Amino acid sequence: MRALALLISCLAAVGFAHNSTFDEHTEGQKYHGESLAWTPCPISPTLDGDHQLECSNLLVPMDQFNASNNGFNNEKHFNISLIRLRGKNATANGNINILLNPGGPGGSGMSLMYRWGVDISQVVGENFNLLSFDPRGVNASTPYVKCYPTPGNKTQASRNSWTGTDPYNLAESSGNWWASSIIYSQACKQTMGEHGEYINTPQTAADMNSILDAVGQEDLYYWGFSYGTILGQTYATMYPERARRVIIDGVANEFDWFTNWSDRESNDDTDKVFEGFVDECIKAGNQTCPLAQLAETKEELTEKLISTIWALREEPAPIYVNNTVSGLVGFSDVWNNAVFNALYSPLRWAPLAAALTPLVQTGNATAFFLHYMLPSTAESYNDYDEGDANDYIRYNDGVSGAALSPATPEELIPAILEASNNTIFGSQEWPGYFNRRSWAVRKTIDFVPERGVKTAHPLLILSTTYDPVCPLISARSANDAFVGSRLVEVRGYGHCSLAVPSNCVNDIVRQYFVEGVLPESNVVCGPNLPLPYFPAENSTTGATSPVHTTGQAYGCG
């Protein structure tokens, strides 16, 4: 699955750099039944001036499943960074913590809380604390996953890997990708050392038990998005007796994640979302979607978009504003970064259409460059450095290395094409398959998902109708795997239910957390209003979400 961090915030760009861990020896607030000391978070001790925000750290064993691997005095460990937004009524209602995971798998819970904390609190209510964390190897937790000692080393390795190849020709690039993937894998293995062998989802699931124990809570209350659904399903399978309230939202297929090297199912609805973007633009008309002036039908507009963007593979568009603002706009900048990322939320379709219109109309990519690529004005897809956590966790979890049967670049080519030919965005996944095949980090646990899992209380499963990276079919797979679970589909496009504002979904989520109430059967929820995918300027109708106002989330795995 695509390891993308695609969360754009309407808030200020706040986040924790990977070197900004907190001192676990700092004295702070302790609560009854907890072993942790909490201190005001360094960036801001409150959110919206009304909700208390506190931070802490927790040491967890390097290997949660075999203490003999942790050293004579258990000196081998991970330092997990925690962040909590306190519900106003949580103390009086049992001090229950809802754990959150934003996805990734390199997504930061610290960043999640600053971006979404207040909005999620409005959905679940003030009777709960929201507790998120940077999983082992991610962001502020240490050791932090990186495959090269410095960013400069990684940049140089990346440059070397592309020399003399056409990245859009799989046959031509396969040899170079194969060779560079071997270098990358060896760098990951050496830089992370022994700790790197224990950075995987089952270990993080066990870390969640350590977190629960540290806050004096027996049962897991959890809301996981995207890759967070892999983590949630893994936890519910390993520790079903503690899985009391588990929501998985924007669901990835756990069976593919752990036992299949191919990401094919994750692409099932990708093109349908792109088709939705074009279709809704034509319906909106050129008053609100300027691209609509360039074609009479969605088929004609699709052809113009693809032909224009594909031409950038041969000849990037030169941009010169002045001697300090210039650059090239290439195929990947437009197709893989801007267009694909916009599929995560319809709220990003209007600015994309505005930026693409002059490019398609006249070949002028200046508007696109200024909006998406100029550092001072471009939309930021992240506010922290993910390092190499996405790759590390994904390859440590799944089928990789020698366990992957294609043994040569020539043998990999047809397998890769078969795995990616169900979407017009498939080429962006090609290098990852070579990295997976060359992965050299020792696998320390083989987790196999199960069916017929009966948890302490059934799971609640959420999905949009058309999710670009975690399709509805994967949510149905989870629904089949967990006894008594219920699937709530919210009609619309986008990644995770949060992409489509729906009071229907919010009510179900709130009742589930508060009372454990599930729908009697699987249900379909509509959006609050028919969404104007291309709203008129200054219109607020449908432009905000009760959870977050951007609709962006972490890629599915």
Side-chain angles (χ1 to χ4, degrees):
M1 285 164 205
R2 301 177 182 90
L4 303 173
L6 303 172
L7 191 117
I8 302 248
S9 176
C10 64
L11 305 176
V14 290
F16 290 81
H18 60 83
N19 60 355
S20 62
T21 54
F22 310 111
D23 183 356
E24 65 270 22
H25 303 295
T26 300
E27 292 187 8
Q29 174 72 44
K30 288 193 174 183
Y31 300 92
H32 178 72
E34 298 189 1
S35 61
L36 297 171
W38 296 89
T39 58
C41 292
I43 291 181
S44 173
T46 64
L47 283 183
D48 73 356
D50 196 34
H51 285 81
Q52 180 183 348
L53 203 59
E54 54 192 14
C55 288
S56 189
N57 287 80
L58 177 66
L59 295 181
V60 298
M62 181 181 73
D63 187 352
Q64 287 274 14
F65 307 114
N66 187 345
S68 66
N69 291 325
N70 298 324
F72 181 73
N73 292 315
N74 294 318
E75 71 273 10
K76 298 177 183 179
H77 56 259
F78 286 88
N79 189 356
I80 306 299
S81 289
L82 311 174
I83 186 168
R84 181 162 66 180
L85 183 150
R86 295 197 63 81
K88 295 176 182 178
N89 305 323
T91 301
N93 287 275
N95 213 32
I96 297 175
N97 300 274
I98 298 174
L99 271 63
L100 305 173
N101 182 277
S108 167
M110 315 296 284
S111 180
L112 167 75
M113 193 66 75
Y114 276 101
R115 291 169 160 183
W116 295 357
V118 171
D119 297 323
I120 293 177
S121 180
Q122 290 173 356
V123 174
V124 303
E126 295 289 351
N127 289 345
F128 300 98
N129 299 318
L130 300 180
L131 198 169
S132 196
F133 61 102
D134 285 347
R136 54 174 60 200
V138 173
N139 194 39
S141 291
T142 56
Y144 160 77
V145 171
K146 57 182 180 180
C147 292
Y148 297 94
T150 69
N153 296 140
K154 184 173 183 178
T155 299
Q156 186 59 50
S158 177
R159 288 172 180 162
N160 290 342
S161 71
W162 289 94
T163 302
T165 67
D166 176 1
Y168 314 114
N169 185 318
L170 181 58
E172 179 179 321
S173 298
S174 61
N176 203 6
W177 271 329
W178 180 275
S180 62
S181 70
I182 293 172
I183 296 172
Y184 176 66
S185 173
Q186 292 298 324
C188 292
K189 180 179 179 180
Q190 179 183 3
T191 304
M192 291 306 300
E194 187 179 18
H195 276 82
E197 299 175 356
Y198 299 92
I199 297 173
N200 56 56
T201 299
Q203 293 282 355
T204 297
D207 291 343
M208 288 165 63
N209 275 344
S210 296
I211 295 171
L212 290 176
D213 294 342
V215 296
Q217 184 170 318
E218 177 62 26
D219 296 327
L220 177 69
Y221 283 57
Y222 177 81
W223 194 349
F225 306 93
S226 196
Y227 160 80
T229 69
I230 294 293
L231 179 58
Q233 291 173 86
T234 302
Y235 183 96
T237 301
M238 295 174 64
Y239 309 106
E241 72 284 355
R242 297 186 76 168
R244 180 67 58 181
R245 300 281 192 277
V246 174
I247 297 179
I248 52 176
D249 189 346
V251 182
N253 188 314
E254 62 170 337
F255 298 94
D256 282 352
W257 182 268
F258 286 105
T259 66
N260 192 346
W261 79 286
S262 167
D263 299 337
R264 185 178 176 86
E265 183 175 289
S266 68
N267 301 327
D268 269 15
D269 289 337
T270 308
D271 292 3
K272 294 176 184 175
V273 183
F274 178 69
E275 291 165 8
F277 162 71
V278 177
D279 187 34
E280 293 296 338
C281 176
I282 292 293
K283 290 178 182 177
N286 59 27
Q287 293 299 312
T288 55
C289 183
L291 277 172
Q293 67 185 294
L294 307 181
E296 296 294 329
T297 66
K298 61 182 180 182
E299 291 79 11
E300 183 185 0
L301 182 55
T302 298
E303 192 281 327
K304 286 190 174 183
L305 282 168
I306 290 178
S307 62
T308 298
I309 297 171
W310 251 246
L312 298 173
R313 294 162 63 155
E314 301 295 330
E315 185 178 347
I319 304 299
Y320 187 86
V321 178
N322 56 47
N323 60 3
T324 63
V325 180
S326 61
L328 296 175
V329 174
F331 168 80
S332 185
D333 301 315
V334 180
W335 190 246
N336 294 341
N337 295 341
V339 176
F340 177 73
N341 292 349
L343 303 184
Y344 280 62
S345 169
L347 297 177
R348 302 197 64 222
W349 291 3
L352 175 67
L356 289 177
T357 298
L359 174 62
V360 177
Q361 192 170 32
T362 66
N364 187 338
T366 302
F368 178 92
F369 178 82
L370 294 176
H371 185 76
Y372 288 100
M373 298 176 65
L374 189 65
S376 61
T377 60
E379 292 188 354
S380 171
Y381 294 110
N382 217 337
D383 57 10
Y384 61 93
D385 180 6
E386 286 189 333
D388 296 288
N390 282 325
D391 286 351
Y392 224 103
I393 297 168
R394 182 172 50 163
Y395 304 149
N396 275 358
D397 278 354
V399 178
S400 60
L404 207 165
S405 57
T408 66
E410 292 74 22
E411 292 173 342
L412 265 179
I413 290 174
I416 291 173
L417 290 175
E418 182 180 358
S420 60
N421 66 5
N422 62 335
T423 174
I424 51 179
F425 295 90
S427 64
Q428 65 178 318
E429 301 179 357
W430 293 346
Y433 286 117
F434 290 94
N435 290 340
R436 183 185 286 271
R437 176 60 183 86
S438 299
W439 195 243
V441 177
R442 183 173 68 98
K443 197 177 187 68
T444 56
I445 186 169
D446 285 304
F447 174 78
V448 179
E450 301 174 12
R451 298 190 186 276
V453 178
K454 188 174 182 179
T455 50
H457 193 73
L459 276 64
L460 177 60
I461 302 169
L462 308 178
S463 176
T464 60
T465 305
Y466 300 110
D467 187 311
V469 287
C470 293
L472 184 58
I473 189 175
S474 298
R476 289 174 177 151
S477 174
N479 188 207
D480 290 339
F482 292 92
V483 175
S485 63
R486 293 291 183 266
L487 170 60
V488 177
E489 172 192 342
V490 54
R491 287 197 304 270
Y493 302 99
H495 184 39
C496 302
S497 69
L498 309 181
V500 182
S502 173
N503 288 337
C504 169
V505 173
N506 292 345
D507 290 343
I508 291 172
V509 167
R510 188 178 302 110
Q511 290 180 37
Y512 178 73
F513 276 129
V514 174
E515 301 174 8
V517 175
L518 283 163
E520 292 185 2
S521 60
N522 294 344
V523 299
V524 178
C525 283
N528 289 343
L529 293 169
L531 292 176
Y533 292 101
F534 297 90
E537 189 175 358
N538 299 323
S539 169
T540 59
T541 305
T544 60
S545 162
V547 175
H548 64 91
T549 59
T550 64
Q552 287 299 308
Y554 290 94
C556 205

